[in-house]
Amino acid sequence: MAETPSAFFSAVVVTILAVLGGCSAPSEAARAFFVFGDSLVDNGNNNYLATTARADAPPYGIDSPSHRPSGRFSNGRNIPDIISEQLGAETTLPYLSPELRGEKLLVGANFASAGIGILNDTGIQFVNIIRINRQLQYFEEYQKKLSALIGASQAEMRVNQALVLITLGGNDFVNNYYLIPYSFRSRQFALPDYVRYLISEYYKILQRLYELGARRVIVTGTGPLGCVPAELALRSRNGQCDSELQRAAGLFNPQLVQILTALNRKIGSDVFVSANAFGMHMNYVANPQAFGFATSKIACCGQGPYNGIGLCTAASNLCPDRDTYAFWDAFHPTERACRIVVNHMMTGSSEYMNPMNLSTILSMDAAV
């Protein structure tokens, strides 16, 4: 999502290598990795679409291995990339990439698309983006391609054993309910009712993901939406996080945890794992110096107050040292901030990962 706080967290599907020190080349033993969601986890699908929600021009990607933009809303790697890296796995390709064929299918796929949300009317200003129901349809299509490659039974097993990451929800607030004063959804729903509606729709999405074979799903809540540079520029007079957007996150996240618990109880297994994105991000937002950041208010790339107005472009202000900034652009964290988040996912306590962290998942599954 180009101007999206889904840039800040909401929900994605990840699949990881079966062996922690695994090979970089896909193998029969390597676990697949699937990613669903918005700009926080999009690694280039929107490059293939006619939309303004794109990160395909400099200075995006300035600190990536190629130093070129790839479609990731980051100065370098994003959260799915770092998860793959931590596990020694090959990075998943965008589903729309023409390179995703043959043995590359064994690695998994990234279906995420910047600008989308739980609701179909979220991100309508971006026009041509891959809404979540379409991402799930692409997941079905992917499985047919995989079946043609390795056979139906092997394909089903590979999907069942994969790790999935899904990030949704932030855009449903920033690019829908609060997009403009008196938006359609804000006139239709009071905030608590809107959150309940979002959660009921998200339940259906997660249930469908399970029906399509996902059995290890990390679901991220939304981050501190009121603290991103875009919202500080629009809503804050003194640099404090916007209380209304923080309230929205505070209503959404606990109810998301509740439905994940309910789904696991219904299934009879811990399929869905809750990732407390709000807590993971809020740690460095509230105390940036403790994490080695000079600022958690000003974006590295942008213009206007807090560099939070408009898009990050070649004409924008650009900080010389991205590692000292928590935010890359108006909505998205820097690679270094993403690494802090992934570290919480890998080894965090139940405060951050419930009912278990990613290292525990990998150890349990390796023992089976």
Side-chain angles (χ1 to χ4, degrees):
M1 48 174 103
E3 262 209 60
T4 315
S6 251
F8 225 9
F9 253 78
S10 303
V12 186
V13 189
V14 190
T15 308
I16 305 170
L17 280 187
V19 183
L20 262 164
C23 311
S24 59
S27 70
E28 284 306 308
R31 205 171 182 180
F33 181 14
F34 301 111
V35 181
F36 301 83
D38 53 36
S39 60
L40 279 175
V41 291
D42 182 355
N43 68 351
N45 278 308
N46 281 21
N47 287 0
Y48 301 95
L49 304 172
T51 177
T52 57
R54 293 167 69 143
D56 59 344
Y60 283 97
I62 189 172
D63 299 312
S64 68
S66 69
H67 304 292
R68 292 192 305 237
S70 63
R72 292 162 172 82
F73 287 77
S74 173
N75 60 302
R77 295 174 176 87
N78 63 9
I79 286 166
D81 294 330
I82 298 165
I83 291 174
S84 294
E85 177 190 285
Q86 286 287 314
L87 299 164
E90 189 175 329
T91 299
T92 54
L93 287 169
Y95 183 69
L96 297 184
S97 170
E99 296 177 33
L100 186 63
R101 61 184 188 273
E103 290 219 337
K104 291 287 185 184
L105 291 167
L106 298 172
V107 178
N110 186 315
F111 302 92
S113 178
I116 73 137
I118 295 165
L119 305 181
N120 280 334
D121 57 295
T122 291
I124 53 172
Q125 71 272 32
F126 301 126
V127 189
N128 191 21
I129 49 182
I130 312 170
R131 305 191 185 282
I132 189 59
N133 289 331
R134 184 62 173 146
Q135 290 185 30
L136 295 175
Q137 289 170 3
Y138 279 150
F139 187 35
E140 289 185 84
E141 188 177 282
Y142 161 88
Q143 292 186 44
K144 290 175 182 174
K145 293 177 182 177
L146 187 63
S147 293
L149 181 70
I150 61 174
S153 62
Q154 285 295 311
E156 182 180 6
M157 186 185 306
R158 194 159 194 81
V159 169
N160 289 162
Q161 293 174 349
L163 187 70
V164 174
L165 173 65
I166 182 164
T167 295
L168 291 172
N171 283 328
D172 293 289
F173 296 106
V174 181
N175 281 308
N176 192 329
Y177 194 85
Y178 293 107
L179 179 62
I180 55 172
Y182 310 108
S183 68
F184 170 73
R185 289 298 190 184
S186 68
R187 285 181 283 114
Q188 182 184 22
F189 293 106
L191 180 61
D193 296 327
Y194 181 65
V195 170
R196 280 190 286 271
Y197 175 55
L198 287 179
I199 291 294
S200 68
E201 292 301 302
Y202 205 173
Y203 184 95
K204 297 172 191 173
I205 292 163
L206 295 172
Q207 200 165 34
R208 181 61 181 147
L209 195 53
Y210 176 78
E211 289 168 0
L212 291 173
R215 295 296 181 266
R216 284 293 190 201
V217 184
I218 296 174
V219 184
T220 67
T222 177
L225 302 174
C227 304
V228 300
E231 299 308 326
L232 295 183
L234 290 172
R235 297 170 169 269
S236 177
R237 294 182 180 177
N238 56 5
Q240 298 303 304
C241 300
D242 178 69
S243 58
E244 181 67 8
L245 280 163
Q246 293 293 85
R247 176 175 168 241
L251 289 170
F252 179 84
N253 289 326
Q255 292 183 49
L256 177 60
V257 173
Q258 288 173 9
I259 64 162
L260 298 182
T261 302
L263 278 164
N264 286 342
R265 190 180 300 121
K266 178 181 177 182
I267 294 164
S269 176
D270 290 329
V271 170
F272 296 99
V273 174
S274 168
N276 176 9
F278 188 95
M280 294 174 186
H281 287 285
M282 202 63 205
N283 285 341
Y284 66 73
V285 167
N287 193 2
Q289 284 74 28
F291 292 86
F293 294 120
T295 178
S296 61
K297 297 182 187 297
I298 303 168
C300 170
C301 182
Q303 47 279 313
Y306 307 101
N307 279 343
I309 302 296
L311 301 172
C312 168
T313 70
S316 298
N317 301 319
L318 181 66
C319 68
D321 185 1
R322 271 71 66 183
D323 283 348
T324 62
Y325 282 69
F327 284 94
W328 160 245
D329 64 11
F331 283 112
H332 304 91
T334 55
E335 177 180 326
R336 187 158 173 272
C338 288
R339 289 187 179 279
I340 293 169
V341 170
V342 172
N343 186 55
H344 279 303
M345 288 183 170
M346 290 295 298
T347 62
S349 68
S350 58
E351 177 186 353
Y352 298 103
M353 296 291 289
N354 188 27
M356 67 193 102
N357 61 35
L358 194 43
S359 294
T360 302
I361 290 172
L362 293 171
S363 297
M364 285 176 53
D365 291 351
V368 174

